[in-house]
Amino acid sequence: MSLLQTTLNETLEALPANGIAQLSALIDPDWIEQALQATGRASIRRRKLPAQHAVWLVIGLALFRQMPLWQVVQEMALTLDGQELPVPSASVQARQRLGPEPLAHLFELLTQAWGRAHPVHEQTLRVLAVDGVVWSAPESVDNRQVLGSGQTQYGPQPWPMVRAVCLLDTDSHELLDAQLGDYGCGELTLASGLRGLDHSITLFDRAYFSASFLLTWSQAGEQRHWLMRAKDNLRYEVAQTLGEGDWLIRMPVSPRARKLHPELPSHWQARLIEVSAGGKIRRIITSMLDLQRFAAASLAQLYRQRWEIELGFREIKQSLQQGQAVLRSKQPELVRQEIWGILIAHTLLRRWMRLMAQHAGVEPTRISFHTARHAIVGTINAVHLARTGTLPALLQQLLKQARYFVLPPRRSGRSFPREVKRSRSKFPTKKMPVST
């Protein structure tokens, strides 16, 4: 019997018959309690919707995107001792008491215990990606003032916005870290708060090119490499030719950067690789200088994995959020709380998909996120009707059915140029009268 099956069987025997205990098969309740204690939000009074249940309510808002708050409470059996909420606003008040901090702390605990601690491939450098994503929040005075929004030539954007920068494992699509800020906070500023990983290669886009940021990133641990596309206006001088289309370059640090960070040197080094792709010359810049370990062609090919983080964001916005462009919450603190709940929900789903992939003997990205989400959420959906131990038993059955969720291997050499179809006019075509 496998360790996973043994654990699930033990959980099955130990669970009492109530919704919150059933959900402990998904997240260890000690982690939720630890997050509440660390942020000072643990319930002292005996409430019908305690803080531990409110945490699950926020996660449930992400898993059950179309349901109102009171129905999420009912579907997940979150009230204390099965009592009914006195008024629907009780769930809103529970969210307000909770705040965003416990969810942020819980997300950190989950990513540390799951994704960060367990690489998909042992004995190799982990391939990570960093990028930013923006959520739209409902229009309200508080959201507009606190969160801000974008600006165009026609005026402000129609919705307040929140910006996030995430760190993702490209081999499993598991989120490893995230930082939130208002729309006016730049991606580079948020990315400086991310916790990288030792023995890894992190893929960035060109917006993250900064001597201060990249030097700090690579020096924060052991073998923390980075790789990105080089800017067209990159200033450098060749220090050494390493091969055809492969150079060690020396770049100046701008006076402004040295003023902000006096510890920076006047120049810094990196490796510049030039390759031809699709009839165009592409330039890759990286901190990986070892020619024997990191071949130029392999590094140029590796950059294509940066697209995996875009697919991860698509999983969140198109599948998990069901294409709903605007969040629910009308208060800035609840907007942040809702986003942390979304990130936890994605982390939870990806964790179970990782287990399904192991059971099916395939890579985690071969498990269909869309169909697996339906199956996992459908399993959780029956918590309020289930008898003791039903949820872990259903999850174990889901693992046995993992082969039905496996996608075919990706075709190699796929190319998707950034093209759009010309939209048709909504007006009918005027036809010239025919002369007789």
Side-chain angles (χ1 to χ4, degrees):
M1 183 178 295
S2 66
L3 177 61
L4 174 64
Q5 186 173 352
T6 301
T7 303
L8 285 172
N9 288 341
E10 291 175 353
T11 307
L12 176 65
E13 296 172 359
L15 286 178
N18 61 72
I20 200 70
Q22 294 252 34
L23 294 172
S24 67
L26 297 167
I27 297 178
D28 189 333
D30 289 342
W31 289 341
I32 297 178
E33 186 62 31
Q34 183 179 339
L36 293 171
Q37 294 291 346
T39 55
R41 299 302 172 90
S43 291
I44 299 176
R45 293 173 52 192
R46 182 177 172 84
R47 301 180 182 273
K48 291 188 176 181
L49 198 62
Q52 296 90 337
H53 298 226
V55 169
W56 271 110
L57 169 61
V58 177
I59 300 172
L61 292 179
L63 295 174
F64 304 100
R65 183 65 177 83
Q66 303 288 357
M67 292 184 183
L69 267 69
W70 66 267
Q71 191 173 359
V72 175
V73 173
Q74 179 180 348
E75 291 296 317
M76 300 182 73
L78 294 179
T79 54
L80 191 64
D81 300 328
Q83 303 178 57
E84 291 188 3
L85 291 177
V87 288
S89 61
S91 56
V92 179
Q93 295 168 3
R95 289 189 61 198
Q96 291 171 335
R97 291 192 300 269
L98 184 66
E101 293 82 6
L103 277 298
H105 195 89
L106 179 60
F107 174 77
E108 182 178 345
L109 292 175
L110 297 181
T111 55
Q112 184 64 48
W114 295 345
R116 295 178 69 89
H118 302 286
V120 175
H121 303 292
E122 300 287 350
Q123 310 302 326
T124 61
L125 293 177
R126 299 184 69 171
V127 182
L128 316 176
V130 167
D131 206 358
V133 61
V134 172
W135 277 275
S136 297
E139 181 64 66
S140 72
V141 174
D142 289 341
N143 281 349
R144 179 70 66 173
Q145 290 180 347
V146 176
L147 303 178
S149 69
Q151 189 82 14
T152 69
Q153 59 179 329
Y154 305 106
Q157 294 282 4
W159 307 105
M161 296 180 177
V162 178
R163 192 187 302 279
V165 172
C166 301
L167 177 69
L168 176 134
D169 188 321
T170 62
D171 290 318
S172 66
H173 286 193
E174 291 174 291
L175 292 170
L176 305 182
D177 200 7
Q179 293 290 323
L180 304 188
D182 58 60
Y183 188 77
C185 191
E187 288 188 22
L188 201 58
T189 302
L190 291 174
S192 62
L194 293 175
R195 299 169 296 122
L197 280 177
D198 291 347
H199 306 284
S200 67
I201 304 168
T202 306
L203 310 177
F204 298 96
D205 66 25
R206 288 178 284 191
Y208 294 87
F209 183 78
S210 161
S212 173
F213 173 75
L214 294 174
L215 287 173
T216 300
W217 185 272
S218 59
Q219 294 169 4
E222 183 180 350
Q223 294 194 55
R224 297 194 180 188
H225 303 289
W226 54 266
L227 184 147
M228 66 172 57
R229 285 272 301 277
K231 289 188 173 183
D232 296 334
N233 61 350
L234 180 68
R235 292 190 302 149
Y236 68 93
E237 59 184 36
V238 175
Q240 182 183 350
T241 300
L242 305 176
E244 184 178 354
D246 194 357
W247 304 276
L248 179 65
I249 62 174
R250 187 169 178 264
M251 300 169 290
V253 179
S254 68
R256 181 175 180 274
R258 295 191 67 192
K259 184 177 180 180
L260 294 174
H261 306 279
E263 72 281 0
L264 290 176
S266 60
H267 291 75
W268 60 305
Q269 290 187 328
R271 184 179 176 186
L272 181 64
I273 299 169
E274 195 172 273
V275 296
S276 177
K280 298 181 179 180
I281 298 299
R282 306 291 188 187
R283 299 193 305 168
I284 305 295
I285 186 170
T286 178
S287 63
M288 293 174 278
L289 308 181
D290 189 340
L291 297 181
Q292 302 299 321
R293 191 178 181 190
F294 307 114
S298 299
L299 292 178
Q301 185 72 14
L302 181 64
Y303 183 74
R304 300 182 65 175
Q305 285 191 232
R306 199 199 70 80
W307 192 251
E308 298 296 333
I309 193 169
E310 304 290 354
L311 298 179
F313 291 154
R314 186 181 70 175
E315 292 170 357
I316 293 173
K317 289 199 166 187
Q318 295 300 319
S319 183
L320 182 57
Q321 295 185 265
Q322 301 179 28
Q324 298 294 321
V326 183
L327 300 173
R328 302 180 179 219
S329 308
K330 297 183 179 180
Q331 299 175 21
E333 290 296 287
L334 297 188
V335 169
R336 295 189 181 95
Q337 181 194 77
E338 183 177 349
I339 293 175
W340 284 119
I342 291 170
L343 299 181
I344 291 173
H346 181 268
T347 301
L348 179 62
L349 293 174
R350 267 293 164 192
R351 181 243 180 171
W352 276 95
M353 291 172 64
R354 173 88 169 265
L355 296 175
M356 292 167 68
Q358 291 174 358
H359 202 85
V362 298
E363 296 288 314
T365 52
R366 291 276 307 278
I367 299 294
S368 169
F369 184 88
H370 187 69
T371 54
R373 179 192 70 83
H374 273 291
I376 297 170
V377 172
T379 299
I380 300 172
N381 198 26
V383 166
H384 69 296
L385 299 175
R387 66 181 185 278
T388 303
T390 300
L391 180 59
L394 291 174
L395 291 172
Q396 184 175 335
Q397 183 65 28
L398 195 60
L399 295 180
K400 295 179 181 178
Q401 299 171 346
R403 66 185 185 279
Y404 299 118
F405 299 88
V406 176
L407 296 171
R410 290 182 184 176
R411 300 187 309 273
S412 61
R414 296 189 309 169
S415 176
F416 297 95
R418 294 189 175 184
E419 300 173 345
V420 295
K421 290 184 179 180
R422 183 172 59 185
S423 60
R424 299 184 61 180
S425 172
K426 65 181 179 179
F427 300 104
T429 303
K430 184 176 182 179
K431 298 182 178 180
M432 296 296 293
V434 179
S435 59
T436 57

